[in-house]
Amino acid sequence: MDYRAQIGIRFITRRKGSLIAASLAVAIAILVVQVNSVIFQGLYDAIVRDQINYRFGHVYITRQEDYITKSDFVLVNWLERIPYVQAAAPRLDSVAQINSTVNGQLIKDYQVPIIGVDPVLDKEASTIFTTVGQGEFVSFRNSIVLGALVARDLGNPQIGDTVKLKFKDRYGNDVLKRFTIVGITQTAGSVGLDNSAIINIDTLRDVIERPHESGAILVRLNDPSKAEDVKQLFLSAFPSNSDKFKAQTIEESAETTLRGFRSGIALINLVGYFGMMSSAFAVVTIQMMQVTSKTREIGIMRAIGSKRKDILLVFIFQGMVIGAIGAGLGTVLGIGYTVYAKETHMTFQGSLPLEVHYNWASIIQTDIMAFVLAVIASIYPAYKATKLEPVEAMRYA
Amino acid sequence: MPDYVLEVQNLDKIYGEGETAFSALKNLSFTVKRGEFILIVGSSGSGKSTLLNMIGLLDKPTRGTVIIDGVNTSVLNDNQLSSFRNSKLGFIFQFSNLLSDLTVLENVVLPRKIQGTMSGAMEEGKNLLKTVGLEDQMNKFANKISGGQAQRVAITRALINKPAIVLADEPTGNLDSVSAETTIQLLKSLNRKLHQTFIVVTHDRPQFGDVDKVITIKDGRIVEGELEVA
């Protein structure tokens, strides 16, 4: 082993207090970045997951300015012939005034979003049916599933109760229709359809006078990485100049929801990296203490022939030891936390469960950054050590 | 090979400037032949350690020249001085000055590691430690041996590169009388056995008995008439 590396390693490993303090500073900085990543990237990915599962699918097809008039049967069949497509289902959105009578008391009308779903196809393309906590998913024509927030605002009606909805059809006429509540849907963090009501798409089509029309087609893929391919395949098969279709991947369709969150993640990451800078200052301080405590040894080494650059390398090697141990420890702690978060489906106060992934690229990037920072933080103390004159250094007691 | 292993010519060392200037060495000149055992003696503050630092190339003179083994050291840059110290000089200091984080053997071979000539160094180091009676201590860390033992380790470290001159600054100053006597006898026997040049700074002239030459320093000058030849 190179003697400068040997001395550097001995200097720091035989001062366990300094080694532990410096390595912990680096490890904690890595842990902060990892925890931030697990929580905030996990939250972001969870939102994306739920947006895919409940609202948009992996590819979301709409028509640029109007409802889709082409038969949903034709579109779904065409899409399901693509090998990457697991399922596709039509949806139709509208709004209605809703009221209910609970214990003989009329709960005041208010407007709620109405989602029309195909009871069979939607179960293949979306997992919104799994969020029905009480009762069952929509099935027959006059059944309705209320979002938990809607049910709460309606005074918590029971399964089997009826609600009255007032729609406006495409000509602006009011249409009144009574539905039987068959289920209540509730999602963690209310990111599902908790503020909406779900009914049979054919019922909605009839009520608003849009027979055979759809608002959108959700496409669920068995390989989400092929979303762009499916989108392009669809657009080339149904060119926008004739059908005026618009196809969006989840990144595009959920952009409004995700944009603000991405800025938040960037800010949080910045905080994590500032934490890493703080650890660099801790390394500088500990290395300066090391240089002071080793002044006499530096003098001896210079006296017996070490050059200034050799002294520099001794302390750079020390920094490498601190960086390597700190990065190793930080990675173990960070991965431990990630495993815990993943295995326990970590949530915060009933919010949506985090979508935790092992982001090896990010882990390695953080480790390298921490290691490099520890080495950089050692340069100034090392430089100070090289400036010591041997005769002065050896006088140091 | 030059006649003299060391030539000191008109050496001055002034610390500070202007009114605070202090002249530690004043126009010193002398020579040392190969294989001599030289004592530099003087009272505390006389300038003997300053002189040793100049000869050891650990400090630069204000004026004058130090020629070691025929090389004018005043023309060497910092890196060349480091290499020169490594190959031509061996150091023994008052406080053994071993690296406490290395073992005894690692301390002994350190100059060879610095030189980058490790071939056979471990064996040589072990043999030298055997010579000074420390073969059973070679794997101990340097801070785990006694002061007398540490000084013997420092002596073997000073010899490992077969330097032109071994410089010793108060090598017995921190030892009890028995260890001091052992150290002195060791230095003198190595001088005879290896024909190794030793320049030893001490304030205790009688402790060393017969030597080849004694240079007495007083107020930064070699005292006239006290350049004693044994």
Side-chain angles (χ1 to χ4, degrees), chain A residues 3 6-7 10-11 14-15 294 296-297 300-308 390-391 394-395, chain B residues 53 58 78-79 82-83 85-86 91 93 95 97 99-102 106 110 113-114 141 143 157:
Chain A
Y3 87 92
Q6 183 190 28
I7 292 174
R10 289 279 179 84
F11 273 5
R14 282 173 56 83
R15 297 291 177 282
K294 293 296 176 191
R296 199 180 176 88
E297 276 91 341
I300 298 165
M301 289 178 66
R302 293 279 287 128
I304 63 176
S306 289
K307 299 180 176 72
R308 292 186 195 277
V391 71
M394 279 191 298
R395 281 197 196 116
Chain B
N53 289 338
L58 298 172
D78 194 68
N79 280 348
S82 295
S83 298
R85 277 198 300 270
N86 176 258
F91 291 93
F93 300 104
F95 303 99
N97 285 311
L99 270 67
S100 59
D101 296 315
L102 300 185
E106 286 167 345
L110 184 58
K113 284 191 173 183
I114 293 170
F141 278 100
N143 58 352
R157 184 183 68 189

Side-chain angles (χ1 to χ4, degrees), chain A residues 35-51 188-189 191 257-258 261-262 264-265 268 341 346-357:
Chain A
V35 168
N36 277 348
S37 172
V38 165
I39 294 174
F40 292 97
Q41 190 62 46
L43 206 54
Y44 178 87
D45 290 342
I47 291 171
V48 171
R49 175 196 65 205
D50 289 353
Q51 294 285 325
V191 292
T257 312
L258 300 177
F261 208 83
R262 268 202 297 271
I265 290 178
I268 293 293
M346 186 180 274
T347 60
F348 292 97
Q349 296 177 333
S351 181
L352 70 171
L354 301 181
E355 182 72 17
V356 180
H357 299 289

Side-chain angles (χ1 to χ4, degrees), chain B residues 38 80 91 104 128 162:
Chain B
I38 308 287
Q80 289 167 330
F91 291 93
V104 164
L128 278 170
K162 300 181 179 65

Side-chain angles (χ1 to χ4, degrees), chain B residues 176-196:
Chain B
D176 61 75
S177 58
V178 176
S179 296
E181 182 57 29
T182 309
T183 302
I184 290 165
Q185 292 313 316
L186 180 61
L187 292 176
K188 292 178 87 168
S189 74
L190 289 168
N191 167 246
R192 284 192 299 272
K193 203 163 136 190
L194 305 174
H195 203 58
Q196 173 69 57

Side-chain angles (χ1 to χ4, degrees), chain A residues 336-395:
Chain A
Y337 183 81
T338 309
V339 169
Y340 172 76
K342 193 173 176 66
E343 294 304 316
T344 59
H345 304 285
M346 186 180 274
T347 60
F348 292 97
Q349 296 177 333
S351 181
L352 70 171
L354 301 181
E355 182 72 17
V356 180
H357 299 289
Y358 297 105
N359 190 342
W360 296 111
S362 164
I363 291 169
I364 290 167
Q365 183 189 325
T366 309
D367 284 351
I368 290 172
M369 195 179 288
F371 178 80
V372 169
L373 267 179
V375 175
I376 290 172
S378 303
I379 290 175
Y380 178 68
Y383 174 76
K384 291 286 282 184
T386 68
K387 289 291 155 194
L388 292 168
E389 293 299 335
V391 71
E392 297 296 329
M394 279 191 298
R395 281 197 196 116

